[in-house]
Amino acid sequence: AAAGLSYVGGYVINTYKSYDNFLQDKYALLPAVIIICVAVVMFIIGLIGCCATFRESRVGLGLFLAIILVIFIAEVSAFVLGFVYREKVKTDVQGTMRSVFEKYDGKNPESTVVDYLQEQLHCCGVKNYSDWTTTQWFNSTGNNSVPRSCCRQDVKNCTGRLDQPQEL
């Protein structure tokens, strides 16, 4: 389990590099760091449990049980807090994404991240393609279209025009 958690934490940290412009809050990596720390603690606790079982130590097994109960309580607390604050996180991420979309010009690093995100997640805009109609890029181009990264990958000659929403 500790190895699995270490992998997940490392994967999140590695993936963060692709989306760091959307998650401007540097504390976004905190869950991944916590996951890695929990993995290290789980490894140590596993060793304590194995040693206590091997030696048939009542004190060691009691300590192991107490630690497992504390971890269980912490997991339940984390689940409840995640459930309670899910709307706040959603609102914060959408606000940050809207600000990044506002800076889109097709050339700057934020634009590259927006294009990458839309291509990887097969999406267009924060909620849908109509989000682009309020951006400076949409108004400055004047061609009534969204970036080509909004196009479906199975469509060959997509121009991103809003009069052909089936291609987006």
Side-chain angles (χ1 to χ4, degrees):
L5 284 176
S6 297
Y7 174 77
V8 169
Y11 180 78
V12 169
I13 289 172
N14 191 35
T15 304
Y16 176 80
K17 295 173 187 171
S18 301
Y19 301 105
D20 62 345
N21 287 336
F22 285 109
L23 303 170
Q24 294 173 350
D25 186 9
K26 296 303 176 194
Y27 294 109
L29 280 180
L30 188 60
V33 172
I34 290 173
I35 287 173
I36 291 173
C37 291
V38 166
V40 169
V41 170
M42 281 181 65
F43 180 76
I44 294 169
I45 292 169
L47 283 176
I48 290 172
C50 287
C51 291
T53 303
F54 182 70
R55 291 183 174 190
E56 297 180 8
S57 168
R58 292 181 65 103
V59 174
L61 289 173
L63 177 66
F64 180 69
L65 176 65
I67 291 171
I68 295 298
L69 286 175
V70 168
I71 290 173
F72 178 72
I73 291 168
E75 286 177 349
V76 170
S77 300
F79 173 75
V80 169
L81 288 172
F83 186 77
V84 168
Y85 289 109
R86 74 183 183 282
E87 284 301 317
K88 182 180 180 339
V89 170
K90 179 180 174 185
T91 304
D92 290 348
V93 169
Q94 284 181 350
T96 303
M97 287 179 70
R98 288 186 198 285
S99 69
V100 171
F101 276 62
E102 277 297 320
K103 297 175 187 172
Y104 186 90
D105 67 359
K107 299 173 186 136
N108 62 18
E110 287 87 2
S111 299
T112 306
V113 172
V114 168
D115 289 336
Y116 177 78
L117 178 78
Q118 291 184 149
E119 289 169 357
Q120 293 297 310
L121 299 180
H122 307 288
C123 64
C124 185
V126 177
K127 290 188 177 181
N128 59 32
Y129 66 88
S130 64
D131 293 333
W132 282 101
T133 60
T134 60
T135 63
Q136 292 177 359
W137 179 82
F138 183 84
N139 295 330
S140 67
T141 57
N143 61 0
N144 199 30
S145 66
V146 296
R148 291 188 182 198
S149 60
C150 283
C151 293
R152 289 185 10 211
Q153 291 180 348
D154 61 337
V155 177
K156 295 293 182 209
N157 296 321
C158 177
T159 60
R161 295 191 48 85
L162 293 181
D163 58 356
Q164 301 167 335
Q166 70 277 5
E167 294 180 356
L168 304 177

